[in-house]
Amino acid sequence: MDMILTQLFIGCFMIGVTVFIHAIILDTLVTLLKKAGPTCYRTLKTFWEIPLMIGTVLGVFLAHVIQIWLWALLFLCLAPEILPDLEAAIYFSTSAFTTVGFGDVFLDKEWRLLSAFEAANGFILFGWSTAFIFEVISKIYKDEQIKKH
């Protein structure tokens, strides 16, 4: 029971950290897009939206990369006998975070509940990211918040 509570505490802590990071990055992206919109429009005129959309997707992707690496570093510290190097930890973390879960690398019973927390975390954050990207594209084309002037 102690290991379950430990994993629950660590999992909730990591979800809190990744949500905080995600919120900061998305908020920063909105600010950057609002500033970049007029410049992109003046410079490109046609297809001025494309750099904004590329920046949005890359910014969201960066957020996920940071979050996956944080989980990987945690697993590297907690289960060095299973994930002996950074590459293995990043591979495992990416599989868990994206909910792909190949199953060729997995944690032992002592820490496996954490991989489920990471999968739930990734599932939620990918949903949030999808909604964010949709909203940004909507704002660009409706010319509401991300203006060309």
Side-chain angles (χ1 to χ4, degrees):
M1 188 63 168
D2 284 346
M3 272 317 289
I4 292 173
L5 291 176
T6 300
Q7 291 180 81
L8 179 64
F9 175 77
I10 293 171
C12 288
F13 174 78
M14 286 297 291
I15 289 170
V17 168
T18 57
V19 166
F20 180 76
I21 289 168
H22 210 72
I24 289 173
I25 291 175
L26 297 187
D27 188 60
T28 302
L29 278 171
V30 168
T31 302
L32 292 173
L33 290 167
K34 285 179 180 179
K35 290 179 182 177
T39 303
C40 286
Y41 181 74
R42 281 192 307 273
T43 305
L44 300 174
K45 300 285 189 225
T46 307
F47 303 120
W48 65 274
E49 306 95 337
I50 292 173
L52 298 176
M53 290 185 281
I54 291 170
T56 300
V57 171
L58 290 177
V60 169
F61 183 74
L62 174 65
H64 291 292
V65 168
I66 291 168
Q67 293 149 6
I68 289 167
W69 274 69
L70 286 175
W71 278 101
L73 293 172
L74 172 70
F75 290 131
L76 194 60
C77 293
L78 294 177
E81 67 283 350
I82 297 169
L83 303 169
D85 56 38
L86 185 60
E87 189 277 333
I90 292 170
Y91 174 77
F92 174 79
S93 183
T94 303
S95 296
F97 194 84
T98 59
T99 68
V100 171
F102 288 116
D104 55 337
V105 179
F106 53 89
L107 300 178
D108 60 9
K109 187 175 182 177
E110 184 180 22
W111 295 112
R112 70 182 174 189
L113 187 57
L114 274 179
S115 61
F117 278 103
E118 183 180 11
N121 186 208
F123 185 76
I124 291 166
L125 293 180
F126 277 115
W128 185 5
S129 296
T130 302
F132 178 80
I133 291 168
F134 178 82
E135 184 65 17
V136 166
I137 291 172
S138 174
K139 297 283 185 208
I140 289 171
Y141 283 108
K142 288 182 180 176
D143 195 30
E144 291 174 13
Q145 298 237 341
I146 302 169
K147 298 192 184 290
K148 53 187 173 184
H149 305 291

